[in-house]
Amino acid sequence: MIVSASRRTDIPRFYMEWLINRLQAGYALVRNPMNRSSVSRVPLDRESVECIAFWTKNPEPMLDCLGELEPYPYYVQFTLNAYGTDVESALPPKAALVETFRRLSSAIGSHRMVWRYSPILVSDRYTVEHHLRYFEVFAKKLEGFTSQCRISFLDMYPKIEQLMHAKNLRCVPVEQETDLARALCAIGARHGMEVGGCGTMDLDAAGMARKGCIDPAFVEHAIGFGAVDAAATAGRNGCYCMTSVDIGAYDTCANGCVYCYANAGGFANTPSNLCKYDPDSELLCDRLNPGDTITERKALRLIIPQTRLDI
């Protein structure tokens, strides 16, 4: 089973104590966001967890927990974008984030680091030229600390549309996506990085590798074992990700990103569930309620233990 930690919130930045406690307990409870009374008991013992895919915009707290994570195969997807505090209001300065990326890569190995430049949006300030210039700056500083980059373009979710329009933040025009993606691929290649992505963009026209966020080939490289080349299983069209189980919770991320789809109240408000955080709870920022139904989540085997890779 591959554990996603997490598409719904930034566990490495805000909830590492909870995660370590759950790994030590051997399980976590996860509420179904579409059916609040349905709760899954997700096994987190070493035998069940084949890989943990971390998603984060500031994994500095992880640096103090690497020893406790050591029994588990994992890799880190680090989102580093060229936006200011008007778009990502609660992140450290970019120079500090670059340094954190380099420190973490030095500690766990560049083969376990993915740079995410996502989502790409435009405005009068954040022009295509702005993205090209700062993508080059980041790529140069991260050269040697990762060989993988993932890009994606903004999805204009209904819950963020009004705020995005108020800030004059827009999707990249469809007719410009391919040229921009092709240019980013070329920049990445100059700095030893393969730029890939998934979704509805014309990847072939952009010269991009078809790479999921949880990509079988990268998982193999990160953990040293062969991974089943799973068919696309995520909901959106053109996704190349392996099957994973997300243990995060919505309305718990305090990174302050204006484009965030995971907080119902919008980026300017304190996430509604943040006040419920208890590192000793079985659920992230939540408690069991009377009437909740707990179901054991089966651990789907995706790794081929007999196929150790020579990396």
Side-chain angles (χ1 to χ4, degrees):
M1 177 183 66
I2 294 177
V3 173
S4 174
S6 157
R7 287 182 172 95
R8 301 169 181 170
T9 190
D10 196 331
I11 287 177
R13 183 179 187 186
F14 299 112
Y15 304 117
M16 281 305 296
E17 185 179 0
W18 175 82
L19 177 64
I20 296 301
N21 287 342
R22 299 326 307 155
L23 293 176
Q24 291 175 348
Y27 74 97
L29 298 183
V30 181
R31 191 177 298 280
N32 183 338
M34 305 304 294
N35 180 3
R36 298 285 299 166
S37 64
S38 177
V39 177
S40 294
R41 188 181 190 277
V42 179
L44 295 178
D45 58 280
R46 177 60 190 86
E47 183 178 351
S48 298
V49 177
E50 298 171 294
C51 183
I52 303 174
F54 285 107
W55 311 66
T56 182
K57 291 179 179 169
N58 180 17
E60 186 174 10
M62 284 187 71
L63 291 166
D64 295 327
C65 304
L66 298 182
E68 293 161 293
L69 291 174
E70 189 58 38
Y72 291 84
Y74 65 90
Y75 70 96
V76 178
Q77 303 186 81
F78 192 140
T79 299
L80 180 59
N81 295 323
Y83 303 126
T85 55
D86 58 326
V87 175
E88 299 174 336
S89 64
L91 292 178
K94 303 303 179 184
L97 292 173
V98 167
E99 179 58 24
T100 297
F101 193 113
R102 292 160 64 107
R103 288 173 60 201
L104 184 57
S105 175
S106 297
I108 69 174
S110 62
H111 66 292
R112 291 204 280 179
M113 297 291 293
V114 178
W115 169 31
R116 291 182 59 82
Y117 192 80
S118 169
I120 301 173
L121 55 83
V122 292
S123 68
D124 294 342
R125 177 181 181 184
Y126 302 114
T127 61
V128 167
E129 291 73 22
H130 172 93
H131 285 292
L132 292 172
R133 180 166 65 254
Y134 283 98
F135 190 88
E136 177 93 54
V137 170
F138 288 145
K140 183 176 181 179
K141 291 181 179 295
L142 299 180
E143 184 172 351
F145 293 93
T146 183
S147 64
Q148 297 292 315
C149 178
R150 303 285 183 268
I151 67 170
S152 69
F153 292 95
L154 175 70
D155 286 324
M156 189 67 80
Y157 296 96
K159 68 172 64 176
I160 68 170
E161 191 167 5
Q162 183 176 355
L163 181 59
M164 298 292 281
H165 286 327
K167 287 180 165 288
N168 195 29
L169 299 170
R170 309 179 297 276
C171 295
V172 176
V174 174
E175 62 272 16
Q176 295 183 28
E177 282 188 358
T178 298
D179 288 343
L180 176 53
R182 187 183 296 114
L184 297 179
C185 285
I187 293 170
R190 289 200 297 270
H191 296 283
M193 298 177 193
E194 180 183 43
V195 178
C198 59
T200 57
M201 182 176 53
D202 191 340
L203 301 175
D204 293 334
M208 288 176 60
R210 296 177 180 272
K211 296 285 186 178
C213 305
I214 302 178
D215 182 72
F218 184 79
V219 170
E220 288 182 350
H221 189 63
I223 69 175
F225 282 108
V228 175
D229 189 7
T233 54
R236 71 186 179 122
N237 218 10
C239 181
Y240 299 100
C241 289
M242 299 177 70
T243 301
S244 63
V245 178
D246 201 295
I247 59 171
Y250 290 114
D251 295 304
T252 61
C253 187
N255 280 329
C257 302
V258 68
Y259 50 77
C260 181
Y261 63 85
N263 287 340
F267 88 107
N269 300 316
T270 300
S272 60
N273 291 321
L274 192 62
C275 62
K276 304 175 186 176
Y277 177 54
D278 176 358
D280 294 321
S281 176
E282 297 171 293
L283 296 102
L284 181 60
C285 295
D286 201 354
R287 292 281 187 184
L288 286 173
N289 299 319
D292 284 343
T293 300
I294 300 176
T295 303
E296 294 287 335
R297 183 68 180 255
K298 184 179 179 181
L300 178 64
R301 306 298 297 180
L302 295 171
I303 307 301
I304 309 168
Q306 294 83 6
T307 311
R308 176 172 287 279
L309 305 180
D310 184 14
I311 60 172

